[in-house]
């Protein structure tokens, strides 16, 4: 079993180093992220850094070599098991090929078996009480333990509470666009980045305006931040690159969760937009 596992994990390790795994696929470069499958998304992500792939490959090869020697079998198992458990989870939740998933289960099960063979040696290390100077105020221990976890939760909750989810969050298609009373045509997006086709509103106060109706073009998009005034039913939008006083007020009307109308003035242009949420 040790030799079999060493062969399997080492083969995957060499595959990463020799670029037969996580290799570059040029077709993905022109595919939008939303259209990538879980497999393609995973391979594209891990393949972004060859250095990372090499490190991961060396861990697998090194762990495989350790499995070949009885003295280092436990160390090799401890190195490989976290790696393989992570791979199993990726295979499950990112819809990786069935064969790869079965292989990862077999390897992980084998490593767990090798680990359990040394359980009598491992148990004292994991569960033996560490001798440290006792805390005189022993009643404070439960409070301190609760405080540690409570502070961890509060530090994240405070951020979430400060940036609540917005009902406007989403991808909005510009169905009608009038500038100074003149309708902007469907193909006018090619003539200028200010002829928006989509508006993207994010939860954290970010907003972006894109002219291209087919793909988000960061180099042509307008970026900014917004806050919503519920009393006045207006967006206050501050575009990136503007002065601190350069705030655009957007009057919102006919909002029903799926569509809304904007009336605003951006620089010298009066704009009227009808938006539909996708």
């Amino acid at each position: 079993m040790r030799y079999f596992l060493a062969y399997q994990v080492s083969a995957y390790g060499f595959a990463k180093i020799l670029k037969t795994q996580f290799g570059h696929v040029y077709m993905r470069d022109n595919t939008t992220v939303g259209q990538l499958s879980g497999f393609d998304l995973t391979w594209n992500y891990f393949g972004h850094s060859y250095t990372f792939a090499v490190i991961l490959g060396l861990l697998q090869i090194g762990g495989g070599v350790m499995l070949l020697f009885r003295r280092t079998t436990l160390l090799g198992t401890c190195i490989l098991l976290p790696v393989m458990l992570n791979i199993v989870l990726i295979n499950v939740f990112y819809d990786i090929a069935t064969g790869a998933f079965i292989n990862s289960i077999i390897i992980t099960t084998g490593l767990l078996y090798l680990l359990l063979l040394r359980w009598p040696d491992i148990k004292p290390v994991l569960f033996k009480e560490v001798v440290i100077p006792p805390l005189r105020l022993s009643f404070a221990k439960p409070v301190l333990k609760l405080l540690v976890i409570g502070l961890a939760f509060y530090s994240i909750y405070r951020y979430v509470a400060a940036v609540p989810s917005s009902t406007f969050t989403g991808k909005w298609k510009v169905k009608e666009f009038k500038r100074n009373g003149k309708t902007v045509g469907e193909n006018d997006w090619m003539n200028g980045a200010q002829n928006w086709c989509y508006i993207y509103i994010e939860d954290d106060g970010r907003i972006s305006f894109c002219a291209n109706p087919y793909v988000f073009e960061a180099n042509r998009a307008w970026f900014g931040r917004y806050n919503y005034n519920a009393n006045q039913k207006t967006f206050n939008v501050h575009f990136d690159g503007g002065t601190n006083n350069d705030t655009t007020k957007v009057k919102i009307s006919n909002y029903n969760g799926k569509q809304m109308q904007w009336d605003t003035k951006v620089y010298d242009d009066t704009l009227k937009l009808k938006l539909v949420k996708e």
Side-chain angles (χ1 to χ4, degrees), residues 110-165:
L111 291 171
L112 286 171
Y113 174 74
L114 293 179
L115 190 69
L116 290 175
L117 289 177
R118 299 292 299 273
W119 183 246
D121 302 319
I122 299 171
K123 186 177 179 180
V125 176
L126 296 178
F127 300 106
K128 184 178 180 180
E129 185 175 355
V130 180
V131 180
I132 57 175
L135 184 65
R136 292 183 180 181
L137 301 175
S138 58
F139 66 88
K141 284 184 178 180
V143 177
L144 287 173
K145 293 173 182 177
L146 183 62
L147 191 61
V148 169
I149 303 302
L151 283 174
F153 167 77
Y154 177 72
S155 64
I156 302 301
Y157 174 77
R158 184 179 60 178
Y159 171 78
V160 174
V163 189
S165 179

Side-chain angles (χ1 to χ4, degrees), residues 174-213:
V174 180
K175 294 294 289 185
E176 288 186 25
F177 191 169
K178 290 185 178 180
R179 175 178 284 105
N180 302 322
K182 183 180 178 181
T183 300
V184 176
E186 290 185 5
N187 296 321
D188 286 348
W189 66 271
M190 294 183 287
N191 300 324
Q194 75 278 9
N195 297 324
W196 310 318
C197 286
Y198 280 97
I199 298 175
Y200 302 85
I201 302 175
E202 313 294 346
D203 266 336
D204 57 0
R206 290 179 296 127
I207 189 169
S208 52
F209 304 78
C210 181
N212 193 321

Side-chain angles (χ1 to χ4, degrees), residues 53-271:
V54 168
I55 292 172
L56 190 57
L58 290 176
L59 283 173
Q60 291 181 298
I61 295 168
V65 171
M66 291 179 186
L67 293 182
L68 298 176
F69 302 93
R70 292 184 181 275
R71 286 181 178 271
T72 56
T73 295
L74 180 58
L75 180 58
T77 301
C78 291
I79 291 174
L80 291 172
L81 195 53
V83 175
M84 290 309 305
L85 285 173
N86 186 47
I87 290 173
V88 169
L89 293 175
I90 290 173
N91 288 343
V92 171
F93 295 107
Y94 286 82
D95 299 323
I96 308 301
T98 303
F101 167 68
I102 294 173
N103 238 15
S104 64
I105 289 292
I106 292 172
I107 295 171
T108 304
T109 303
L111 291 171
L112 286 171
Y113 174 74
L114 293 179
L115 190 69
L116 290 175
L117 289 177
R118 299 292 299 273
W119 183 246
D121 302 319
I122 299 171
K123 186 177 179 180
V125 176
L126 296 178
F127 300 106
K128 184 178 180 180
E129 185 175 355
V130 180
V131 180
I132 57 175
L135 184 65
R136 292 183 180 181
L137 301 175
S138 58
F139 66 88
K141 284 184 178 180
V143 177
L144 287 173
K145 293 173 182 177
L146 183 62
L147 191 61
V148 169
I149 303 302
L151 283 174
F153 167 77
Y154 177 72
S155 64
I156 302 301
Y157 174 77
R158 184 179 60 178
Y159 171 78
V160 174
V163 189
S165 179
S166 170
T167 57
F168 297 100
T169 299
K171 175 183 176 183
W172 294 84
K173 182 179 177 63
V174 180
K175 294 294 289 185
E176 288 186 25
F177 191 169
K178 290 185 178 180
R179 175 178 284 105
N180 302 322
K182 183 180 178 181
T183 300
V184 176
E186 290 185 5
N187 296 321
D188 286 348
W189 66 271
M190 294 183 287
N191 300 324
Q194 75 278 9
N195 297 324
W196 310 318
C197 286
Y198 280 97
I199 298 175
Y200 302 85
I201 302 175
E202 313 294 346
D203 266 336
D204 57 0
R206 290 179 296 127
I207 189 169
S208 52
F209 304 78
C210 181
N212 193 321
Y214 304 108
V215 65
F216 186 85
E217 288 184 291
N219 61 325
R220 296 181 70 222
W222 290 33
F223 296 93
R225 302 197 67 83
Y226 76 93
N227 61 72
Y228 177 63
N229 187 319
N231 294 327
Q232 298 180 4
K233 293 184 178 180
T234 59
F235 267 179
N236 296 318
V237 179
H238 175 71
F239 290 104
D240 292 353
T243 65
N244 292 332
N245 297 324
D246 188 13
T247 300
T248 298
K249 290 189 178 295
V250 179
K251 181 67 177 178
I252 298 175
S253 58
N254 301 325
Y255 174 74
N256 63 4
K258 293 294 184 181
Q259 60 184 19
M260 59 179 166
Q261 181 172 312
W262 281 16
D263 291 279
T264 185
K265 185 174 182 179
V266 177
Y267 302 120
D268 295 327
D269 294 326
T270 301
L271 309 180

